[in-house]
Amino acid sequence: MTRKETYIREVARLLTSFLSSGSAVDLLAYLVAGSTLPGPRANLELADAFGETVREFAVADADDHRILWDLCVELACVSPEDAPTGDPHEFLSFCGVRGIGAIGSVSPACVEAALTHLAEASVDPRWRIREAVAMGLQDLLSRQRDTTIPELEDWVEGGSWLTMRAAVAGIAEPDLLAEPELARTAFRLHRKTLIRVYTAKERQSEAFRALRKALGYTLSLVVVALPGIGFEYLRQLATLDDQDIRWIVRENLKKNRLEKQYPETVQHIRAQLP
């Protein structure tokens, strides 16, 4: 049995106990103890196991659906004041966000509420929680894209820097980008985001820098999925007299997924940069 399978079995046991008794004390203690925080990396396998198990429980029993949803919302609302970055209790919020995305992915009735919660969490000061939002969006995009994509369009067109970051980080996932329709959507969202970056006057905030950092790798994933229009777009960006846009282009050209697979094209675009 793999470590993740062990996590799934134990989370399932603890969720069953919670649904029977109404007490989540043992489940929360297990998540906190297994968080691997403080430390450089939270226990993503355990968080995955939590999300997958919550989703399966929600599918299996409609009566449990609302109880599990309320649990995940409660966990997601663990505040930065009560669980700052690196605190083991931050993992509860991380798992709650993952659970919201997981349940929303299999429940059409919860998709809009899930997106609302994820939008709120996307501006959380804790970077791990913002990563959980991107993962939750990936769950929604895999199963509820007809509702999720229009919402992400709104995030990119009128949202904050961090909400935009969540949108591009969420959709720039290789399995999703393997589908032509989602790849084209990802390209469109990135193009709209970069227009807002290019026209931005306020660029000193941490939120803007977080978006710029994300674009420094997500764009290369989209280019791999759509190399024809993707590289042409990189060429266009390379000609712009904008230091942040040029930084984004340079960072993406460094990625092995481009540099090793398309060395001549990468070299040509680099030559266009000042």
Side-chain angles (χ1 to χ4, degrees), residues 6-20:
T6 300
Y7 288 148
I8 289 173
R9 184 177 64 177
E10 189 63 13
V11 169
R13 183 186 71 79
L14 292 167
L15 281 174
T16 300
S17 175
F18 160 66
L19 291 168
S20 174

PDB file of all heavy atoms in Angstrom, residues 6-20:
ATOM      1  N   THR A   6      -2.562   4.850   2.125  1.00  0.00           N
ATOM      2  CA  THR A   6      -2.691   4.807   3.580  1.00  0.00           C
ATOM      3  C   THR A   6      -3.425   6.041   4.083  1.00  0.00           C
ATOM      4  O   THR A   6      -4.310   5.952   4.952  1.00  0.00           O
ATOM      5  CB  THR A   6      -1.305   4.712   4.240  1.00  0.00           C
ATOM      6  OG1 THR A   6      -0.641   3.528   3.793  1.00  0.00           O
ATOM      7  CG2 THR A   6      -1.425   4.695   5.755  1.00  0.00           C
ATOM      8  N   TYR A   7      -3.066   7.200   3.529  1.00  0.00           N
ATOM      9  CA  TYR A   7      -3.752   8.439   3.911  1.00  0.00           C
ATOM     10  C   TYR A   7      -5.239   8.358   3.577  1.00  0.00           C
ATOM     11  O   TYR A   7      -6.091   8.748   4.384  1.00  0.00           O
ATOM     12  CB  TYR A   7      -3.141   9.630   3.178  1.00  0.00           C
ATOM     13  CG  TYR A   7      -1.768  10.047   3.639  1.00  0.00           C
ATOM     14  CD1 TYR A   7      -0.856  10.600   2.739  1.00  0.00           C
ATOM     15  CD2 TYR A   7      -1.382   9.917   4.963  1.00  0.00           C
ATOM     16  CE1 TYR A   7       0.402  11.002   3.142  1.00  0.00           C
ATOM     17  CE2 TYR A   7      -0.119  10.311   5.386  1.00  0.00           C
ATOM     18  CZ  TYR A   7       0.771  10.853   4.464  1.00  0.00           C
ATOM     19  OH  TYR A   7       2.019  11.251   4.867  1.00  0.00           O
ATOM     20  N   ILE A   8      -5.564   7.878   2.383  1.00  0.00           N
ATOM     21  CA  ILE A   8      -6.969   7.790   1.969  1.00  0.00           C
ATOM     22  C   ILE A   8      -7.755   6.892   2.920  1.00  0.00           C
ATOM     23  O   ILE A   8      -8.880   7.218   3.332  1.00  0.00           O
ATOM     24  CB  ILE A   8      -7.068   7.282   0.518  1.00  0.00           C
ATOM     25  CG1 ILE A   8      -6.590   8.369  -0.454  1.00  0.00           C
ATOM     26  CG2 ILE A   8      -8.497   6.864   0.176  1.00  0.00           C
ATOM     27  CD1 ILE A   8      -6.496   7.916  -1.894  1.00  0.00           C
ATOM     28  N   ARG A   9      -7.173   5.762   3.267  1.00  0.00           N
ATOM     29  CA  ARG A   9      -7.858   4.834   4.170  1.00  0.00           C
ATOM     30  C   ARG A   9      -8.112   5.483   5.522  1.00  0.00           C
ATOM     31  O   ARG A   9      -9.209   5.352   6.089  1.00  0.00           O
ATOM     32  CB  ARG A   9      -7.023   3.569   4.345  1.00  0.00           C
ATOM     33  CG  ARG A   9      -7.710   2.495   5.187  1.00  0.00           C
ATOM     34  CD  ARG A   9      -6.881   1.238   5.282  1.00  0.00           C
ATOM     35  NE  ARG A   9      -5.609   1.469   5.974  1.00  0.00           N
ATOM     36  CZ  ARG A   9      -4.722   0.512   6.235  1.00  0.00           C
ATOM     37  NH1 ARG A   9      -4.944  -0.723   5.800  1.00  0.00           N
ATOM     38  NH2 ARG A   9      -3.610   0.787   6.867  1.00  0.00           N
ATOM     39  N   GLU A  10      -7.098   6.205   6.039  1.00  0.00           N
ATOM     40  CA  GLU A  10      -7.256   6.807   7.365  1.00  0.00           C
ATOM     41  C   GLU A  10      -8.212   7.994   7.319  1.00  0.00           C
ATOM     42  O   GLU A  10      -9.036   8.170   8.237  1.00  0.00           O
ATOM     43  CB  GLU A  10      -5.887   7.244   7.898  1.00  0.00           C
ATOM     44  CG  GLU A  10      -5.895   7.698   9.351  1.00  0.00           C
ATOM     45  CD  GLU A  10      -6.287   6.594  10.320  1.00  0.00           C
ATOM     46  OE1 GLU A  10      -6.330   5.413   9.927  1.00  0.00           O
ATOM     47  OE2 GLU A  10      -6.558   6.933  11.498  1.00  0.00           O
ATOM     48  N   VAL A  11      -8.137   8.805   6.280  1.00  0.00           N
ATOM     49  CA  VAL A  11      -9.068   9.932   6.150  1.00  0.00           C
ATOM     50  C   VAL A  11     -10.493   9.412   6.022  1.00  0.00           C
ATOM     51  O   VAL A  11     -11.429   9.969   6.614  1.00  0.00           O
ATOM     52  CB  VAL A  11      -8.690  10.823   4.944  1.00  0.00           C
ATOM     53  CG1 VAL A  11      -9.806  11.829   4.648  1.00  0.00           C
ATOM     54  CG2 VAL A  11      -7.390  11.563   5.217  1.00  0.00           C
ATOM     55  N   ALA A  12     -10.685   8.349   5.259  1.00  0.00           N
ATOM     56  CA  ALA A  12     -12.015   7.763   5.113  1.00  0.00           C
ATOM     57  C   ALA A  12     -12.545   7.284   6.460  1.00  0.00           C
ATOM     58  O   ALA A  12     -13.735   7.476   6.789  1.00  0.00           O
ATOM     59  CB  ALA A  12     -11.972   6.610   4.116  1.00  0.00           C
ATOM     60  N   ARG A  13     -11.687   6.663   7.245  1.00  0.00           N
ATOM     61  CA  ARG A  13     -12.111   6.192   8.570  1.00  0.00           C
ATOM     62  C   ARG A  13     -12.518   7.367   9.459  1.00  0.00           C
ATOM     63  O   ARG A  13     -13.564   7.332  10.130  1.00  0.00           O
ATOM     64  CB  ARG A  13     -10.977   5.402   9.239  1.00  0.00           C
ATOM     65  CG  ARG A  13     -11.339   4.813  10.598  1.00  0.00           C
ATOM     66  CD  ARG A  13     -10.149   4.163  11.269  1.00  0.00           C
ATOM     67  NE  ARG A  13      -9.164   5.135  11.728  1.00  0.00           N
ATOM     68  CZ  ARG A  13      -9.278   5.850  12.849  1.00  0.00           C
ATOM     69  NH1 ARG A  13     -10.340   5.709  13.627  1.00  0.00           N
ATOM     70  NH2 ARG A  13      -8.337   6.696  13.206  1.00  0.00           N
ATOM     71  N   LEU A  14     -11.725   8.429   9.418  1.00  0.00           N
ATOM     72  CA  LEU A  14     -11.995   9.586  10.270  1.00  0.00           C
ATOM     73  C   LEU A  14     -13.207  10.376   9.787  1.00  0.00           C
ATOM     74  O   LEU A  14     -13.964  10.920  10.600  1.00  0.00           O
ATOM     75  CB  LEU A  14     -10.750  10.473  10.333  1.00  0.00           C
ATOM     76  CG  LEU A  14      -9.566   9.855  11.080  1.00  0.00           C
ATOM     77  CD1 LEU A  14      -8.288  10.646  10.816  1.00  0.00           C
ATOM     78  CD2 LEU A  14      -9.853   9.781  12.578  1.00  0.00           C
ATOM     79  N   LEU A  15     -13.411  10.429   8.486  1.00  0.00           N
ATOM     80  CA  LEU A  15     -14.617  11.088   7.970  1.00  0.00           C
ATOM     81  C   LEU A  15     -15.871  10.304   8.349  1.00  0.00           C
ATOM     82  O   LEU A  15     -16.905  10.890   8.691  1.00  0.00           O
ATOM     83  CB  LEU A  15     -14.531  11.233   6.446  1.00  0.00           C
ATOM     84  CG  LEU A  15     -13.676  12.381   5.907  1.00  0.00           C
ATOM     85  CD1 LEU A  15     -13.593  12.294   4.391  1.00  0.00           C
ATOM     86  CD2 LEU A  15     -14.239  13.733   6.337  1.00  0.00           C
ATOM     87  N   THR A  16     -15.781   8.985   8.288  1.00  0.00           N
ATOM     88  CA  THR A  16     -16.907   8.141   8.690  1.00  0.00           C
ATOM     89  C   THR A  16     -17.244   8.385  10.151  1.00  0.00           C
ATOM     90  O   THR A  16     -18.423   8.510  10.533  1.00  0.00           O
ATOM     91  CB  THR A  16     -16.575   6.655   8.459  1.00  0.00           C
ATOM     92  OG1 THR A  16     -16.304   6.443   7.069  1.00  0.00           O
ATOM     93  CG2 THR A  16     -17.729   5.771   8.903  1.00  0.00           C
ATOM     94  N   SER A  17     -16.210   8.483  10.986  1.00  0.00           N
ATOM     95  CA  SER A  17     -16.415   8.755  12.408  1.00  0.00           C
ATOM     96  C   SER A  17     -17.040  10.134  12.615  1.00  0.00           C
ATOM     97  O   SER A  17     -17.955  10.299  13.436  1.00  0.00           O
ATOM     98  CB  SER A  17     -15.079   8.657  13.149  1.00  0.00           C
ATOM     99  OG  SER A  17     -15.225   9.024  14.509  1.00  0.00           O
ATOM    100  N   PHE A  18     -16.572  11.116  11.855  1.00  0.00           N
ATOM    101  CA  PHE A  18     -17.121  12.468  11.950  1.00  0.00           C
ATOM    102  C   PHE A  18     -18.595  12.493  11.569  1.00  0.00           C
ATOM    103  O   PHE A  18     -19.430  13.102  12.252  1.00  0.00           O
ATOM    104  CB  PHE A  18     -16.316  13.409  11.046  1.00  0.00           C
ATOM    105  CG  PHE A  18     -17.031  14.673  10.686  1.00  0.00           C
ATOM    106  CD1 PHE A  18     -17.330  15.627  11.645  1.00  0.00           C
ATOM    107  CD2 PHE A  18     -17.412  14.916   9.367  1.00  0.00           C
ATOM    108  CE1 PHE A  18     -18.015  16.796  11.307  1.00  0.00           C
ATOM    109  CE2 PHE A  18     -18.076  16.073   9.019  1.00  0.00           C
ATOM    110  CZ  PHE A  18     -18.385  17.021   9.994  1.00  0.00           C
ATOM    111  N   LEU A  19     -18.946  11.828  10.477  1.00  0.00           N
ATOM    112  CA  LEU A  19     -20.330  11.820  10.016  1.00  0.00           C
ATOM    113  C   LEU A  19     -21.241  11.094  10.996  1.00  0.00           C
ATOM    114  O   LEU A  19     -22.430  11.412  11.111  1.00  0.00           O
ATOM    115  CB  LEU A  19     -20.419  11.173   8.634  1.00  0.00           C
ATOM    116  CG  LEU A  19     -19.785  11.981   7.498  1.00  0.00           C
ATOM    117  CD1 LEU A  19     -19.671  11.127   6.234  1.00  0.00           C
ATOM    118  CD2 LEU A  19     -20.584  13.244   7.221  1.00  0.00           C
ATOM    119  N   SER A  20     -20.687  10.146  11.713  1.00  0.00           N
ATOM    120  CA  SER A  20     -21.467   9.386  12.691  1.00  0.00           C
ATOM    121  C   SER A  20     -21.638  10.133  14.005  1.00  0.00           C
ATOM    122  O   SER A  20     -22.722  10.168  14.583  1.00  0.00           O
ATOM    123  CB  SER A  20     -20.796   8.036  12.946  1.00  0.00           C
ATOM    124  OG  SER A  20     -21.442   7.330  13.985  1.00  0.00           O
TER     125      SER A  20
END
